Amino acid sequence: MGIRLLGSTKGRLAILIAALLAMPVAAAAQDDPRVIPPPRAQKKLPEAPSKLPKVPADRTRGLDFLFGALKAAPDEDSARHVEARIWALWLQTPSDTAALLMMRAKTAVDAQNIDVALKLLDSVIKLRPDYVEAWNRRATLYYLKSDYVRSLEDLQQVLVREPRHFGALAGIGMIMQDLGDNKRALDAFRKALAVDPFLEKVPDMVKQLSEKVEGRDI
């Protein structure tokens, strides 16, 4: 069932959309308009692969190098390997407590206890507000619950901390698609591709949305 956006909540959503889509990628990504359309089947935001390679300890330099390698990747297989290394760095945390809570949150999600997982992620964010992946995981869960306002709020927090987060940028695109806003969806997906040209399924989405928004080339 959709969520009704009335009064200040609708305004918050509009502000969040504008703020998120105004972010530069290099630096960072209807019958009743009050009603959000029902979610699509099998909703899923981009997430980390199940197996991740080890990465060097120098996180900042490692990410800069990997993002450069991602844009220059010669093929999809190479890009997937680099993506996995980036996810591995995003998932790192110096806090053993945060790491444990993240593991418990994943276990809760696997058991379809979404509300429990959300509470665990709330605790992680309170403990480590600088931990990008905790915000991203919580945004994903809010999206699965069709709570687009909170999902966008968390995605904004992700991009403030990591403007190159291709998963968050793609997530915004998916939310915009669910809202029926193809223009903003296209903008978000293009920003995601500017970071990761081989992002799974996104090139096809960009092609389809380009035809809808801009028309076919003559």
Side-chain angles (χ1 to χ4, degrees), residues 116-154:
V116 172
L118 281 170
K119 290 180 180 179
L120 289 165
L121 291 172
D122 290 345
S123 298
V124 177
I125 289 170
K126 184 176 180 180
L127 176 68
R128 300 289 304 193
D130 58 334
Y131 187 22
V132 169
E133 201 50 34
W135 293 100
N136 187 54
R137 292 286 177 91
R138 196 172 71 172
T140 301
L141 296 186
Y142 281 138
Y143 176 73
L144 294 175
K145 289 170 67 70
S146 298
D147 190 340
Y148 296 130
V149 171
R150 288 181 178 173
S151 184
L152 283 170
E153 287 176 342
D154 280 1

Side-chain angles (χ1 to χ4, degrees), residues 17 20-21 29 43-47 87 136 139-140 142-144 147-148 151-156 158-159 165-179 184-185 187-193 199-200 202 205:
I17 291 169
L20 286 164
L21 295 180
K43 297 165 59 168
K44 187 177 182 182
L45 291 177
E47 61 182 24
W87 280 111
N136 187 54
T140 301
Y142 281 138
Y143 176 73
L144 294 175
D147 190 340
Y148 296 130
S151 184
L152 283 170
E153 287 176 342
D154 280 1
L155 290 172
Q156 183 182 44
V158 172
L159 294 175
H165 201 296
F166 46 80
L169 290 166
I172 294 168
M174 293 176 69
I175 291 174
M176 293 302 101
Q177 273 196 305
D178 282 354
L179 293 172
R184 285 191 168 121
D187 187 32
F189 285 138
R190 281 176 170 167
K191 287 182 177 181
L193 282 184
L199 195 57
E200 190 175 7
V202 174
M205 293 178 183

Side-chain angles (χ1 to χ4, degrees), residues 11-216:
R12 286 170 62 210
L13 180 60
I15 291 170
L16 281 168
I17 291 169
L20 286 164
L21 295 180
M23 286 186 174
V25 174
Q30 269 176 1
D31 293 329
D32 182 352
R34 298 171 303 169
V35 180
I36 291 179
R40 299 182 178 189
Q42 298 181 344
K43 297 165 59 168
K44 187 177 182 182
L45 291 177
E47 61 182 24
S50 57
K51 294 183 179 180
L52 296 168
K54 293 183 178 180
V55 292
D58 190 339
R59 187 176 184 279
T60 301
R61 184 163 50 180
L63 278 172
D64 290 344
F65 173 81
L66 289 170
F67 275 112
L70 187 58
K71 292 186 73 170
D75 52 50
E76 186 173 344
D77 288 342
S78 300
R80 293 288 170 269
H81 178 71
V82 178
E83 282 176 5
R85 292 175 66 84
I86 290 172
W87 280 111
L89 280 173
W90 281 339
L91 285 165
Q92 284 182 348
T93 172
S95 169
D96 291 339
T97 302
L100 178 60
L101 290 171
M102 289 290 283
M103 289 177 59
R104 289 179 176 173
K106 184 181 184 305
T107 299
V109 171
D110 291 342
Q112 298 185 6
N113 294 325
I114 303 300
D115 290 336
V116 172
L118 281 170
K119 290 180 180 179
L120 289 165
L121 291 172
D122 290 345
S123 298
V124 177
I125 289 170
K126 184 176 180 180
L127 176 68
R128 300 289 304 193
D130 58 334
Y131 187 22
V132 169
E133 201 50 34
W135 293 100
N136 187 54
R137 292 286 177 91
R138 196 172 71 172
T140 301
L141 296 186
Y142 281 138
Y143 176 73
L144 294 175
K145 289 170 67 70
S146 298
D147 190 340
Y148 296 130
V149 171
R150 288 181 178 173
S151 184
L152 283 170
E153 287 176 342
D154 280 1
L155 290 172
Q156 183 182 44
Q157 293 296 328
V158 172
L159 294 175
V160 164
R161 291 161 175 79
E162 177 49 85
R164 301 167 295 188
H165 201 296
F166 46 80
L169 290 166
I172 294 168
M174 293 176 69
I175 291 174
M176 293 302 101
Q177 273 196 305
D178 282 354
L179 293 172
D181 192 334
N182 290 332
K183 187 176 185 300
R184 285 191 168 121
L186 177 60
D187 187 32
F189 285 138
R190 281 176 170 167
K191 287 182 177 181
L193 282 184
V195 179
D196 181 358
F198 291 94
L199 195 57
E200 190 175 7
K201 298 182 180 179
V202 174
D204 289 337
M205 293 178 183
V206 167
K207 182 179 179 181
Q208 294 170 9
L209 288 171
S210 296
E211 293 176 355
K212 290 181 180 179
V213 174
E214 301 167 349
R216 294 177 180 271

